[in-house]
Amino acid sequence: MHPSHLTKKNILIAAALLSLAACSKPAPQEEAAPPAAVTVLKLQAAPVVLSDELPGRVAAFRTADIRPQVGGIVLRRQFEQGAEVKAGQKLFQLNPAPFQADVDSAAAALQHAVATARRASSQAERLKPLVEADAISRQAYDDAVAQREQAVATVAQARASLARRRLDLAFASIEAPIAGRIGSELVTEGALVGLADAAPMARIQQIDKVYVDVRQPAAALAALQASGNGGADKLPVTILGADGQPHPVTGRILFSGISVDAGTGDAVIRVLVDNPQRQLLPGMFVRARIARAVQANGVLVPQQAVLHSSDGQAQAWVLDGMHKASLKPIAVGDVLEHQYVVNSGLKAGDTVVVEGQERLQPGATAAPQPWKRATAVAKAAPVSAVR
């Protein structure tokens, strides 16, 4: 055979052997994926207060309209408008001259009645021995005794009349029946006031305590009353201002003050609120945060840890002791401090994934890091779960 044909044959054989050797080499193994980095939170049990925010209107604890008890001319006003007044403090002075004249007349009538009674009594005493001696008729003596009794009754009537006139004189000085804040005067000096006047002279409102009347659907009354059976301290009430910030006051529900509006079907709940700084004024609209339930061992989970499936089912990723992930269906309720209140599915001690859920697969191992709440979120959180 020609040498050139041998060389080509050898080259082909060598190439085939190299190809077989290359095919016989084992394929390189793929490297395992590292554990998914996630942030986690270990759930803890803590007291949870569930509340409702309801609109309400402030009403004075007590209100007194100042009205005259006698008619007369107003001489002067004796209070500062908008100031705090005490019970018994003088507010208006009516012209006392007519009432003083009536007192003097009644005193003179009493004096006359007393003198007449003394004369009638003396006359009866003088006639008594004469009738016993048959010197006068029995009829004459009986007439003298009757005149004496009439004179005594006239004295009593005159005393009562004098007392009434003195009372009218005292009513000419109009006093505050209760302590509180008095509004503006509704009559001026020189005005004629009387018992039949429709408008009051002024109005006093006691506001060191106030009522806040709030409305709630009547269907929620049963749960509210059941929660209140443990005492008023079990149902704390917080009053919120227009800026949403709580007022530094405390309140409690007066269950005896609950009524149902026949027009709307809403229950009107009366809350008694301490108001020592007079920050709440009658007529003011506020919002009342009323606790409807207290959970002694409630569990909260951050909102971002809760996922929702296409059918609306709440879910959360949970890591076991080996850091293996599993997706659990849960039930959540109200929101408290940007956290859901857990109704079922999770318990204290469970480790839930807060961030990095998109990196997880069921049964996969995760690399957990502690989750830290953002400071700004924590400062913005409310103080109770509000529905």
Side-chain angles (χ1 to χ4, degrees):
M1 185 179 291
H2 196 277
S4 61
H5 290 289
L6 293 173
T7 303
K8 290 181 179 179
K9 185 177 182 180
N10 292 336
I11 292 173
L12 293 173
I13 293 172
L17 292 174
L18 289 174
S19 177
L20 290 173
C23 293
S24 64
K25 288 183 179 180
Q29 295 182 355
E30 295 183 359
E31 295 182 359
V38 295
T39 60
V40 299
L41 176 67
K42 189 173 183 178
L43 301 182
Q44 297 179 351
V48 175
V49 179
L50 305 180
S51 303
D52 292 327
E53 275 192 16
L54 304 172
R57 190 170 185 176
V58 180
F61 182 68
R62 289 195 297 175
T63 301
D65 287 342
I66 307 304
R67 298 181 182 274
Q69 299 187 64
V70 292
I73 301 296
V74 179
L75 286 184
R76 57 185 175 274
R77 168 175 53 86
Q78 297 175 291
F79 64 91
E80 291 293 332
Q81 301 180 76
E84 294 286 334
V85 296
K86 299 179 179 179
Q89 179 178 332
K90 293 183 179 181
L91 303 177
F92 293 96
Q93 178 62 56
L94 304 184
N95 184 6
F99 307 107
Q100 183 62 55
D102 290 341
V103 169
D104 295 340
S105 176
L110 175 61
Q111 186 176 0
H112 179 270
V114 170
T116 302
R118 288 175 180 173
R119 180 175 177 278
S121 179
S122 299
Q123 181 69 11
E125 290 297 327
R126 284 195 298 269
L127 294 180
K128 184 177 182 180
L130 296 179
V131 72
E132 292 175 351
D134 292 332
I136 59 173
S137 65
R138 186 72 184 182
Q139 181 64 43
Y141 176 71
D142 290 343
D143 290 343
V145 171
Q147 290 177 0
R148 181 184 65 185
E149 297 300 327
Q150 290 176 356
V152 170
T154 302
V155 170
Q157 184 178 8
R159 283 201 176 98
S161 178
L162 177 59
R164 176 61 192 179
R165 299 309 175 190
R166 286 175 176 171
L167 192 60
D168 290 343
L169 178 60
F171 286 157
S173 180
I174 301 175
E175 300 177 348
I178 63 173
R181 179 172 294 179
I182 192 168
S184 60
E185 63 175 356
L186 303 179
V187 296
T188 58
E189 287 85 349
L192 175 63
V193 296
L195 300 179
D197 292 347
M201 303 177 69
R203 180 174 288 113
I204 299 175
Q205 294 178 317
Q206 182 181 346
I207 57 174
D208 57 341
K209 296 179 181 179
V210 294
Y211 294 120
V212 176
D213 294 326
V214 299
R215 291 180 175 271
Q216 187 179 51
L221 274 184
L224 183 64
Q225 291 175 329
S227 300
N229 289 337
D233 58 338
K234 300 297 183 182
L235 289 172
V237 178
T238 303
I239 305 301
L240 308 178
D243 56 357
Q245 296 300 317
H247 284 285
V249 295
T250 58
R252 62 185 179 89
I253 295 177
L254 301 177
F255 284 100
S256 60
I258 295 179
S259 60
V260 177
D261 190 327
T264 63
D266 290 340
V268 181
I269 303 172
R270 171 150 283 190
V271 180
L272 178 62
V273 180
D274 294 326
N275 189 34
Q277 303 300 324
R278 276 67 170 175
Q279 293 181 341
L280 301 177
L281 301 177
M284 182 182 294
F285 285 96
V286 296
R287 295 190 68 83
R289 183 178 294 160
I290 300 178
R292 69 176 183 276
V294 178
Q295 296 181 5
N297 296 303
V299 176
L300 303 176
V301 62
Q303 285 181 291
Q304 56 265 52
V306 178
L307 307 176
H308 293 275
S309 62
S310 58
D311 59 355
Q313 172 65 52
Q315 299 172 322
W317 285 97
V318 180
L319 300 185
D320 61 12
M322 302 302 292
H323 299 167
K324 289 187 176 182
S326 62
L327 189 60
K328 297 181 62 176
I330 63 173
V332 295
D334 296 79
V335 177
L336 167 62
E337 297 181 356
H338 297 273
Q339 300 177 92
Y340 281 115
V341 178
V342 177
N343 293 334
S344 63
L346 295 174
K347 63 182 183 302
D350 287 346
T351 301
V352 297
V353 178
V354 181
E355 296 170 338
Q357 299 99 322
E358 68 279 0
R359 307 186 187 99
L360 296 176
Q361 293 293 332
T365 302
Q369 294 293 329
W371 176 74
K372 295 182 180 179
R373 182 192 299 269
T375 304
V377 173
K379 288 184 178 179
V383 296
S384 61
V386 179
R387 184 174 61 184

